């Protein structure tokens, strides 16, 4: 099922606020081509979900870094489920799979529950919980300090854990992807963990909902075109797809 118009518009609001920091209701309504009344209704819904914070006739993201884990579950949920189904269809029984952090990767874990003979390595406690009903999956969890906000592990121990693996597949997300294909994130520890996850497997798959395209974040750490595959729940720019064709990265829209 495709996302509703309101759901797509609210994802775009989150994307714009992540880029500009704070915007007035009138500026957002002009950017999105909707009435101020419609925009205010969207902001109320996002505020109720603790994704944005309304203030002085405008809004900003509810958190200074990335938005918290539980609110992120509500953003692009249907897209994430389609992405997860596509990834699960590419991973055979018996494979070794490294899964990173984030709500899209958690959706991938749920889609893998029915697989047989998998070995899954992760630094994401949400992935462990998503796989707890699987009957024939071995789970390896990275060590280190737990980041309680997101229930993940992203310190030095996590990096060392993935550095010692040679797996078939790595599936991970990022904070944002620029229109020219830069991989962007919010903090250096998270980046180091994702670099280690990416380096531990022969097939690397980036999973992103459409709100990540063009979303800014302070740190650049790689290029989408260096990966084997990118799966997105919305349309990708022609520039990204053309560069992917030249580099051999397979861009898949679901």
């Amino acid at each position: 099922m495709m996302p509703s118009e309101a759901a797509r518009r609210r994802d775009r609001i989150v994307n714009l606020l992540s880029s500009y920091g704070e915007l007035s209701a009138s500026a957002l309504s002009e950017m999105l081509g909707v009435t101020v009344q419609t925009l205010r209704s969207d902001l109320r819904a996002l505020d109720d979900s603790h994704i944005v914070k309304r203030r002085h006739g405008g809004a900003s993201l509810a958190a200074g870094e990335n938005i918290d884990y539980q609110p992120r579950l509500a953003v692009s949920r249907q897209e994430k489920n389609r992405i997860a189904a596509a990834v699960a269809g590419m991973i055979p029984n018996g494979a070794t799979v490294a899964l990173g952090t984030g709500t899209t990767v958690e959706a991938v874990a749920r889609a893998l529950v029915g697989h047989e003979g998998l070995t899954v390595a992760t630094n994401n406690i949400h992935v462990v919980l998503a796989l707890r009903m699987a009957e024939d999956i071995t789970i390896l969890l990275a060590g280190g300090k737990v980041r309680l906000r997101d229930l993940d592990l992203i310190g030095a121990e996590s990096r060392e854990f993935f550095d010692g693996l040679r797996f078939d597949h790595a599936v991970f997300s990022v904070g944002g992807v620029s229109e020219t294909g830069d991989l962007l994130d919010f903090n250096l520890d998270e980046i180091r963990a994702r670099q280690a996850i990416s380096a531990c497997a022969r097939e690397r798959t980036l999973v992103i909902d459409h709100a990540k395209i063009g979303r800014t974040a302070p740190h650049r750490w790689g290029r989408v075109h260096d990966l084997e595959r990118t799966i997105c729940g919305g349309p990708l720019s022609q520039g990204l797809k053309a560069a992917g064709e030249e580099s051999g990265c397979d861009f898949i829209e679901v």
Side-chain angles (χ1 to χ4, degrees), residues 172 174 176-178 180-185 191 195 198 204 206 219-227:
F172 59 96
V174 290
V177 176
S178 75
T180 57
D182 293 320
L183 304 179
L184 307 173
D185 260 305
I191 286 171
Q195 287 174 325
S198 173
R204 299 163 296 170
L206 176 69
H219 301 289
R220 179 177 59 127
W221 63 272
R223 299 274 295 163
V224 72
H225 311 108
D226 296 330
L227 306 174

Side-chain angles (χ1 to χ4, degrees), residues 139-154:
I139 303 172
L140 308 176
L141 180 63
K145 183 178 179 180
V146 177
R147 185 169 60 164
L148 291 176
R149 189 194 73 173
D150 289 337
L151 286 183
D152 57 20
L153 303 103
I154 59 172

Side-chain angles (χ1 to χ4, degrees), residues 51 72 74 98-99 126 144 152-153 157 165 196 201 214 233 237 243 251:
I51 296 172
R72 292 206 308 273
L99 296 179
H126 289 285
D152 57 20
L153 303 103
E157 295 93 339
L165 301 178
S237 70
F251 282 78

Side-chain angles (χ1 to χ4, degrees), residues 57-149:
S60 62
L61 289 183
E65 273 194 342
N66 202 356
I67 58 178
D68 285 346
Y69 199 94
Q70 288 301 319
R72 292 206 308 273
L73 288 173
V75 178
S76 307
R77 184 188 296 270
Q78 294 172 344
E79 288 187 30
K80 292 171 184 176
N81 289 337
R82 295 200 306 275
I83 292 166
V87 174
M90 297 174 182
I91 294 178
N93 291 332
T96 52
V97 187
L99 296 179
T101 60
T103 55
T104 307
V105 178
E106 180 188 349
V108 171
R110 290 195 299 270
L112 291 173
V113 166
H115 279 52
E116 297 178 353
L118 293 184
T119 297
V120 173
T122 187
N123 61 334
N124 185 349
I125 295 173
H126 289 285
V127 163
V128 176
L129 295 174
L131 292 172
R132 67 189 183 277
M133 300 304 293
E135 296 182 356
D136 191 20
I137 293 180
T138 299
I139 303 172
L140 308 176
L141 180 63
K145 183 178 179 180
V146 177
R147 185 169 60 164
L148 291 176
R149 189 194 73 173

